[in-house]
Amino acid sequence: MYPQQPNDPYYGGQPPYQPGPAAPSKMPGSAITVRVLMFIGGVIGVLFGLLFWLLAVVATGDDQISREFLAGMEEGGMPLNGGEAGLFLGVMGAIPFLYGALSILLASLMGRRSVAILWSVVVFHVLASLALLLAIVTGGFVSIIPLLFAIGMIVLMLLPVTRAFYENKPTPLGPPMGY
């Protein structure tokens, strides 16, 4: 008869320790890529929001430029008066501005190792993907490129090395205590 092996699950022992991906000591390249893309996208979003708000101010004006702007909107199929155009452009500016501000905030927090940061970034990009998908369905085919970037950032954040970094998994030095 053979002696029982302590690590053999067939004989009732525990399986040998098999560590998962070790947490890197510095931010992995996948997280750095997402962070850089979020900073770039955030700045672009804030600038587009400010541009829409500038157009809202132009639309509500009472000078020649404002009248020409409103005439151009009417020719484009949006017959709005100055107040309506200002409100519409103000709301349309809030969307990219808020996206940009949240993107910059999350990108600046990505240096902290926290599970909450990991999942906040993933949820942020899932929501952005849903909004971009809705834009594509309603005819905004230009949104395909940002959608691909958002999906790519979700994938990069869910890679094992990125998750290990944010989940603060220590580098395994050997089997757990008790062996």
Side-chain angles (χ1 to χ4, degrees):
M1 182 159 200
Y2 296 103
Q4 210 175 16
Q5 302 296 320
N7 291 337
D8 194 347
Y10 181 75
Y11 291 105
Q14 293 181 344
Y17 177 67
Q18 295 183 354
S25 59
K26 62 180 188 168
M27 188 180 290
S30 54
I32 292 171
T33 302
V34 171
R35 190 176 194 188
V36 168
L37 289 174
M38 286 181 69
F39 273 123
I40 293 169
V43 169
I44 290 171
V46 167
L47 290 176
F48 269 117
L50 293 174
L51 177 65
F52 272 104
W53 289 342
L54 180 64
L55 292 174
V57 170
V58 168
T60 57
D62 207 15
D63 55 356
Q64 181 65 28
I65 295 173
S66 299
R67 287 189 292 276
E68 289 178 15
F69 181 77
L70 291 173
M73 285 185 68
E74 188 172 346
E75 288 176 15
M78 296 188 71
L80 302 172
N81 65 29
E84 293 169 339
L87 180 64
F88 173 74
L89 292 169
V91 170
M92 291 302 294
I95 296 169
F97 186 85
L98 288 175
Y99 168 86
L102 280 173
S103 183
I104 291 170
L105 174 68
L106 285 173
S108 62
L109 292 175
M110 281 181 69
R112 301 179 184 179
R113 296 175 78 158
S114 163
V115 176
I117 299 295
L118 168 75
W119 290 109
S120 296
V121 171
V122 171
V123 168
F124 175 76
H125 287 295
V126 166
L127 293 175
S129 297
L130 292 174
L132 291 166
L133 194 58
L134 178 66
I136 291 169
V137 168
T138 58
F141 295 109
V142 177
S143 298
I144 290 175
I145 294 172
L147 176 64
L148 293 175
F149 273 98
I151 291 170
M153 287 189 272
I154 293 168
V155 169
L156 288 173
M157 288 304 289
L158 294 178
L159 289 176
V161 68
T162 309
R163 288 184 63 184
F165 176 77
Y166 283 104
E167 292 171 351
N168 289 321
K169 290 184 181 174
T171 305
L173 301 175
M177 298 295 283
Y179 277 97

